[in-house]
Amino acid sequence: MRRRLLVLALLAALAAAGTAWAWRAAHVPVPLPAPQASGQVLASDGSVLATLHGEQDRRPVPLGRMPKALVDAVIATEDARFWSHGGVDPAAIARALWRDLRAGRAVQGGSTITQQLAKNLVTGSEPTVGRKLREAWTAVRIEATLGKQEILQSYLNTVYFGGGAYGVQAAAQRWFAEDVDDLDVAQSALLAGLIRAPAAADPVRHPDAAMAARARALRRMAAVGTLSGGEAARLGRRPLAVRERPPDWRAPWFVDHVLDSIEHDTALSAVADAASARVDRLYRDGLRVRTTLDPVWQQAAEVAVRDRLTEPGDPRAALVAIAPASGAVRALVGGRRYGDPTDPVSHFNLATDGSRQPGSAFKPLVLAAALSRGHSLEDRWPGGAEAVLDLPGSAEPWVVRNYDNRDHGVISLREATRWSVNTVFARLMADIGPEPVAALARAAGVRRSLPAAPSLALGAVEISPLELAAVQATFAAGGIARTPYTITEITDRDGVVLYRAPQRAAGRRVLPAAVAWQVTDALRGVVEEGTGQAARIDRTLAGKTGTTQGFADAWFAGYTPQLAAAVWIGFPRGAVPMVPPTTRARVEGGGWPAEIFGAFAAAALAGEPHREFPAPEGVVRVRVDTSRNCLPNAYTPAELVAERSYVRGAEPTEHCTEPTGPDRARVPDVTGQPVERALRMLGDEGLRVVRRAERRPDLPPGRVVRQSPAAGTELRGAAGATVTIWVSAGAEVTVPDVLGLPVPRARAELEAAGLTVELDRDCPGGGGDCQGARLRPGTVWEHSPDAGRRVPFGTLVTLHAYPT
């Protein structure tokens, strides 16, 4: 305590000495502030994305026009003894020092309004003792030169209220779209509360902090007697009711993210140590911020989103695109209309701050972790409709089901990735454990810590589109992770470089190149033949779809050698199922997200050369029997032979011992069995199955009524031989959902349900310009009757498919 008192006494003595010196020098004129200039945010080609006017937008108003409540709120909050001190308030300094000493850190400032004016106009905000002494001297000289009314008027017309607003009139327009004369008590208190921390309490980005800042201002007004305690409490509960003007920015979501980076990135301390000072310099000192944004990519991203989400009730989209070779963010769309006063979430950046479950778009990380631990893409796993797994330390089993409860039989890990088979990835996670998956995700681009839970296998963790795009960039770069960045250089008004981004070409290896190559090889199959076909472009492309439970979030994340991106679609207000009638159609990762990705990537890379993913050292391509993962022999059916990639040393070297002659199999008896069991029995024999429905009201639905060939028949060439089964159906059947499926698969599912199919190859709306045909040829865009309807057995279903 004695030490604290000694320090306090010394500091008070210094303050008193400085004040006396300042009083003696009060006749010296106050120096004029340096002229100010607007800051600019520039694209990578030097074109202007945003001009940050700051002081140039300041519109001084006389003190008499300002509401009394505003003056009272600012004085109560910033300097309650303003009318009585002489520029420096020794009592306030002593009180602030005492509280700082007790807390062991700076918790309260002691600057008067006059000192703040001196800081804003003359001394700047450098956190040094010398600068604070100059501020005190200047404040005393200002008090000796100007009257209190003039000082207060000058202060209120120059102080910073956040969002580029300097002065009360600019702040009233910025945050409430009103003139300062019309501000009420609650609005006045909010402006007063913003002065101390305009960035941290930004009412759009940080509404909770803004509410707290307003409440503090109201309490101070009550404490000094300019407002009753009851009125302060009542006004503190009111909504902020911010109504700002949308800024005139290009790529506004990207600019928003750049400004957020300037505020929070400690790597930019060369510009200024404090976050508020960095923002202040940007608006007032004419700084030029050169960024990574590519105008061609940005235009392609905005058009791709706008052309697909065309209706007011459509969900929102976010898109982030990164250059894998550097980590530079080249395009960013974070919502619908930035700054729309009618939209309560128009400033929430869905691309960088939105966090949703990625669903199956997370599975490539599970695949990569498994491959790193010795698994192969050709490993075969049970892909039944349901998996019931016992987990260590859990009393309850983990039950996982496939999308639409489909049974895929025993399939390779490559095929499980192509068709996004949940039960295979759940088994894979149970085998390798969640810890390596969580660690890899963090290393590859997910900024937050992830729980080491088995549900990671199905993407049951919330991440942002920016994070998922960073993961894609890591795969595209062959396993080298680079931190995404947006700012390349900051210069002052004279062109002096204040900050230059470090070179990121080296990056950090988080996956062996051969493993990253195998992941890419599997994800190319997703686009070429699997769930991501709507993203196909005339280039080499790897990617993965993701659809969360209940269709609340839909993703497509993918990459080429030159571009990595993630697309999310959903409703900002929460997990709202994207199914009719809420949306025009059921939204899945393979639908709008994949289409947006494909349209964006095709336009962004239109002028770029076509490139292939370079095969790394240690990867070999081998022709194998895909059903057995061995070298084909003379009797291997041709349809089972394909070229596959392997890490050198893991490729098969022995020829298959089966079949030993022309393939033969005996058809099992599946009559009377439930259809799921029948499919497993036939699949175990390597037989292909064609399902037909038969109207049998006398039998439970889903039982095999008859089969062909008959049980016991010996088939030659069994691998690929076909057995047809007829499955009982009632007088009414449910129309399955076949939207987005290729016509042959859609027809097979409808006929298996007992329905008759008619096909029309046409365009939505009946026009000749079929927008989706290039991306989704031969897939169903509508069918009638709709999915889920109960209709009589044999009802005609009309399919509408994009022309091929």
Side-chain angles (χ1 to χ4, degrees), residues 51-425:
T51 299
L52 308 171
H53 299 291
E55 189 75 5
Q56 277 62 35
D57 276 356
R58 181 169 65 87
R59 282 156 285 176
V61 294
L63 191 64
R65 271 191 59 192
M66 301 178 195
K68 181 178 182 300
L70 176 60
V71 175
D72 290 344
V74 171
I75 290 176
T77 305
E78 293 298 311
D79 187 2
R81 289 163 46 85
F82 171 74
W83 298 110
S84 60
H85 63 64
V88 177
D89 186 354
I93 293 174
R95 184 171 57 251
L97 285 171
W98 176 245
R99 292 184 179 177
D100 290 351
L101 285 168
R102 291 186 65 184
R105 58 187 177 88
V107 296
Q108 180 174 343
S111 295
T112 65
I113 282 177
T114 316
Q115 284 177 270
Q116 293 182 52
L117 181 63
K119 178 182 70 174
N120 293 340
L121 295 183
V122 181
T123 69
S125 57
E126 182 185 7
T128 64
V129 173
R131 204 278 307 163
K132 287 293 292 183
L133 286 174
R134 290 194 303 275
E135 175 189 288
W137 301 336
T138 304
V140 173
R141 288 149 62 189
I142 289 174
E143 290 268 354
T145 305
L146 303 175
K148 289 285 188 180
Q149 298 277 343
E150 292 175 282
I151 292 171
L152 187 57
Q153 177 175 291
S154 181
Y155 174 76
L156 290 171
N157 278 308
T158 57
V159 70
Y160 184 52
F161 291 94
Y166 289 85
V168 290
Q169 174 63 10
Q173 285 287 325
R174 176 73 174 87
W175 298 122
F176 303 112
E178 295 181 3
D179 289 329
V180 66
D181 323 48
D182 300 322
L183 296 181
D184 61 24
V185 178
Q187 292 169 326
S188 298
L190 175 59
L191 294 190
L194 291 177
I195 294 173
R196 189 160 299 180
D202 183 302
V204 169
R205 294 183 181 178
H206 312 295
D208 291 341
M211 289 279 285
R214 185 183 67 177
R216 283 194 296 272
L218 291 167
R219 288 195 299 270
R220 287 296 304 150
M221 292 177 73
V224 300
T226 55
L227 191 69
S228 70
E231 186 71 358
R234 185 184 67 81
L235 293 175
R237 292 191 293 268
R238 275 178 44 178
L240 291 176
V242 171
R243 294 191 320 244
E244 61 167 338
R245 295 174 299 171
D248 184 20
W249 295 344
R250 292 168 55 206
W253 298 105
F254 181 85
V255 173
D256 177 277
H257 182 56
V258 168
L259 297 181
D260 195 60
S261 299
I262 290 172
E263 179 184 340
H264 293 106
D265 191 348
T266 55
L268 300 177
S269 58
V271 178
D273 286 327
S276 58
R278 288 196 291 271
V279 175
D280 188 68
R281 287 203 67 186
L282 181 61
Y283 278 95
R284 303 183 71 175
D285 288 356
L287 302 188
R288 299 293 183 269
V289 182
R290 177 82 67 144
T291 72
T292 58
L293 182 127
D294 185 316
V296 174
W297 285 32
Q298 182 66 25
Q299 174 74 5
E302 292 176 0
V303 170
V305 171
R306 185 178 64 238
D307 285 356
R308 279 148 189 85
L309 302 181
T310 58
E311 300 298 324
D314 283 345
R316 309 293 173 85
L319 185 155
V320 181
I322 296 173
S326 64
V329 178
R330 298 298 192 195
L332 191 151
V333 175
R336 180 165 293 164
R337 289 181 295 272
Y338 186 87
D340 182 355
T342 66
D343 184 353
V345 296
S346 66
H347 280 89
F348 186 78
N349 198 328
L350 296 166
T352 59
D353 301 325
S355 296
R356 292 296 183 86
Q357 292 188 5
S360 293
F362 196 83
K363 285 175 180 172
L365 286 164
V366 183
L367 176 65
L371 294 174
S372 297
R373 281 154 182 75
H375 284 286
S376 164
L377 289 176
E378 310 313 320
D379 290 353
R380 299 185 69 77
W381 294 78
E386 180 179 280
V388 180
L389 305 173
D390 293 322
L391 299 176
S394 175
E396 296 294 327
W398 184 28
V399 180
V400 177
R401 294 179 178 84
N402 285 334
Y403 176 72
D404 280 358
N405 292 314
R406 291 178 182 170
D407 186 336
H408 294 265
V410 178
I411 58 173
S412 69
L413 194 50
R414 180 191 300 275
E415 293 171 307
T417 304
R418 180 182 305 161
W419 297 112
S420 200
V421 182
N422 290 343
T423 53
V424 169
F425 276 87

Side-chain angles (χ1 to χ4, degrees), residues 438-695:
L440 175 59
R442 178 75 175 174
V446 177
R447 296 171 296 178
R448 69 202 71 200
S449 296
L450 301 180
S455 57
L456 281 178
L458 309 181
V461 63
E462 293 186 347
I463 62 175
S464 70
L466 175 60
E467 291 171 302
L468 191 56
V471 171
Q472 309 313 300
T474 298
F475 289 136
I480 295 176
R482 297 178 174 90
T483 302
Y485 70 105
T486 57
I487 299 172
T488 58
E489 186 178 85
I490 301 177
T491 59
D492 66 13
R493 71 178 78 185
D494 298 319
V496 176
V497 176
L498 304 176
Y499 167 82
R500 181 169 286 137
Q503 292 294 319
R504 290 173 166 82
R508 59 193 183 282
R509 179 162 293 285
V510 299
L511 268 180
V515 170
W517 163 263
Q518 287 184 294
V519 172
T520 297
D521 196 35
L523 296 184
R524 289 179 64 178
V526 173
V527 176
E528 292 166 3
E529 303 177 66
T531 60
Q533 295 181 59
R536 284 185 301 184
I537 58 176
D538 187 23
R539 289 176 181 268
T540 298
L541 172 64
K544 185 72 186 73
T545 57
T547 308
T548 61
Q549 190 172 15
F551 303 95
D553 301 279
W555 299 75
F556 185 89
Y559 52 95
T560 74
Q562 300 121 301
L563 172 154
V567 177
W568 168 84
I569 291 181
F571 286 100
R573 63 182 182 270
V576 179
M578 294 185 289
V579 295
T582 304
T583 51
R584 293 180 278 146
R586 190 172 71 182
V587 182
E588 302 172 285
W592 279 341
E595 292 177 12
I596 288 172
F597 183 101
F600 158 69
L605 299 176
E608 298 292 325
H610 288 226
R611 293 181 184 170
E612 297 292 330
F613 293 105
E617 289 291 329
V619 169
V620 294
R621 300 281 288 180
V622 179
R623 286 175 59 80
V624 298
D625 178 337
T626 58
S627 69
R628 299 176 177 86
N629 195 33
C630 50
L631 302 181
N633 65 27
Y635 300 105
T636 303
E639 63 268 21
L640 296 183
V641 179
E643 195 173 69
R644 295 287 187 250
S645 63
Y646 296 85
V647 176
R648 189 181 301 279
E651 74 275 17
T653 57
E654 301 291 333
H655 282 85
C656 303
T657 57
E658 295 290 337
T660 56
D663 212 5
R664 299 174 183 271
R666 190 174 298 277
V667 178
D669 185 359
V670 296
T671 303
Q673 297 288 349
V675 64
E676 293 81 7
R677 184 181 300 171
L679 293 173
R680 283 197 298 271
M681 293 171 64
L682 294 166
D684 289 345
E685 297 295 330
L687 298 167
R688 300 180 186 272
V689 182
V690 174
R691 290 173 57 180
R692 295 281 186 266
E694 185 170 303
R695 184 169 181 266

Side-chain angles (χ1 to χ4, degrees), residues 695-714:
R695 184 169 181 266
R696 290 292 298 270
D698 57 316
L699 294 176
R703 295 278 180 170
V704 177
V705 177
R706 52 195 175 94
Q707 65 183 80
S708 177
T713 302
E714 188 176 85

